Amino acid sequence: MGRKTRMSNQAGAVGRRAFLGAAAAGAGILAMPHVAGAQAKVIRVGMPTTLSGRIAIMGSSSRVAVQYAFNRINEAGGMGGRKLELVERDTKGRPDEAAKITRDLINNDGCEIIIDGESSAGSFAVHEVIRDLPVLCLHTNSETSSLSADPKLHVKTAFRCARQGIHDAVAGGTYASTISKARGLKRWMTCSPDYAYGRDNTAEFLQFAKMFDPDIEVVDQVWPRLFAPDYTENITKALQVKPQAMYSALWGGDLVSFVEQTNLYRLFNNITFFSSSLGDPPVLTAIKQLPQGLHTAYRYNRTYPTRPENVAFADGYSGMAKHDPTNWAWQNFVAAGFIAEALKRTDGRTDATALAAELKGMKLPSPVAVDEVITMRESDHTIIGYPVAWGRTVPKAPFVEDFAPVDWGQIVELEAEWKKQKGYA
């Protein structure tokens, strides 16, 4: 984010004993057994990510989450005595730089595994590098569905450990249509960033919202450029069009700026607002006056899922980062867990093909799993079983309440139909 984000300091990192206790209760990577017969040298894991500029929170929270996970693994003896070492590099959010840095991490820094902490803009560039240099790669922040859904883009050693747009679209469409039917919200408008993720995410949300409520009519759409400094033109357009509801795929600092500028015009007094990204803790806490009753997808919340392991993760992470986990944090934390489990199963061998074989279909216990485990789906190398709930904003912590989950069975069923429509299946 290109603004200094005011974040709520959450007290208290869990101690070692509490940490290991949480692990035993099912937090996955919180305690990893030793791996027999592995070599003594460190296992270097490279991370190209954005550590400067307007979306620096993406990289910094991703880095802390992986380091938090690796610290716990290393404190418990590592992978058969081999320590995990994170090597991160700042891509400045540029796809060309992300590709270059990924090559350097593999060829010059000796990294045997890549955690791609880029947004969708950079992840596609990293993906093509992994096609040429087939080390194991986990994309941890990209949400553009085609990265893993399109079989033409498939790379045998690349996986996605992040939420994706089509899953959010089914959940969001289900949630929004229930509200639109109840309130008679027929006239809709959208305001989303003008690049692949923004347009794809918005189209997918509308597709399913209209599937569940055919009376929805999109009366206008505006497409501000990514990292736009001012949204007055878009807000003015909304005031002129007077929709009953608005959907936005803006995220990070862009969403903070949009909401704060919108507050000046009191736009939300007359529009029911739906956002796929507002639920991220750094966004919620950066908004000076968070309006009540805005609708948002789950990004991360220490109160949901309601289990002790989730609170332990939030406390442990915030003890390092001095703020609650972000959406990127939990995704990278889970990715570190998948990597550690795969290394355990290969006796510490970092051969990409061997690791990929273990990751396919892997069920990993996780503090944020909806039903105890998050699954790395074998068919398209992407995760399912993570939270896809929606809720409403409140001005004070926990900032989002009344989470309404959507059944994963329904999501998978409708995702399969969507893949057929797109020619992906």
Side-chain angles (χ1 to χ4, degrees), residues 93-212:
R94 292 169 42 192
D96 60 335
E97 191 70 8
K100 177 182 180 299
I101 284 175
T102 302
R103 289 186 181 276
D104 287 345
L105 285 167
I106 297 169
N107 292 329
N108 300 327
D109 293 313
C111 293
E112 301 171 87
I113 298 170
I114 294 293
I115 294 178
D116 167 33
E118 284 292 287
S119 70
S120 293
S123 285
F124 283 86
V126 173
H127 197 66
E128 293 310 308
V129 173
I130 301 304
R131 192 184 303 279
D132 293 338
L133 302 174
V135 300
L136 180 70
C137 173
L138 272 73
H139 301 291
T140 54
N141 294 338
S142 173
E143 299 180 26
T144 303
S145 298
S146 60
L147 182 66
S148 55
D150 186 349
K152 294 178 182 176
L153 298 177
H154 182 76
V155 174
K156 293 181 179 179
T157 60
F159 295 76
R160 184 214 299 268
C161 187
R163 65 192 318 119
Q164 61 165 299
I166 186 60
H167 297 161
D168 279 339
V170 174
T174 303
Y175 176 86
S177 64
T178 301
I179 296 171
S180 67
K181 288 178 179 178
R183 299 183 184 178
L185 305 177
K186 297 182 179 180
R187 291 171 50 82
W188 283 65
M189 181 177 178
T190 69
C191 179
S192 297
D194 190 13
Y195 76 119
Y197 166 72
R199 288 186 175 268
D200 289 352
N201 176 280
T202 301
E204 291 162 4
F205 174 89
L206 291 174
Q207 175 183 347
F208 289 98
K210 289 192 285 187
M211 175 187 296
F212 300 126

Side-chain angles (χ1 to χ4, degrees), residues 32 81 150 191 195 247 301 377 399:
M32 294 297 300
D150 186 349
C191 179
Y195 76 119
Y247 174 75
N301 195 292
R377 193 163 55 187
F399 300 109

Side-chain angles (χ1 to χ4, degrees), residues 283-301:
V283 174
L284 293 165
T285 55
I287 297 171
K288 294 176 182 178
Q289 292 184 320
L290 178 66
Q292 184 160 340
L294 306 184
H295 300 277
T296 181
Y298 170 95
R299 304 293 286 182
Y300 178 78
N301 195 292

Side-chain angles (χ1 to χ4, degrees), residues 65 122 166 175 231 233-234 307 310 317 334 371 383 390 411:
I166 186 60
Y175 176 86
Y231 298 90
E233 179 182 350
N234 310 120
R307 63 166 59 115
N310 185 31
Y317 173 91
V334 172
D371 195 18
I383 58 170
W390 279 66
I411 294 173

Side-chain angles (χ1 to χ4, degrees), residues 250-308:
L250 290 170
W251 57 278
D254 288 6
L255 183 55
V256 172
S257 297
F258 176 76
V259 172
E260 291 196 333
Q261 291 172 33
T262 298
N263 282 342
L264 299 175
Y265 294 87
R266 302 184 183 278
L267 182 67
F268 295 140
N269 288 359
N270 301 305
I271 292 179
T272 303
F273 186 69
F274 296 83
S275 166
S276 58
S277 298
L278 184 59
D280 228 331
V283 174
L284 293 165
T285 55
I287 297 171
K288 294 176 182 178
Q289 292 184 320
L290 178 66
Q292 184 160 340
L294 306 184
H295 300 277
T296 181
Y298 170 95
R299 304 293 286 182
Y300 178 78
N301 195 292
R302 64 167 48 235
T303 69
Y304 186 88
T306 54
R307 63 166 59 115

Side-chain angles (χ1 to χ4, degrees), residues 53 217 358-359 416:
E217 177 190 3
E358 297 298 339
L359 279 175

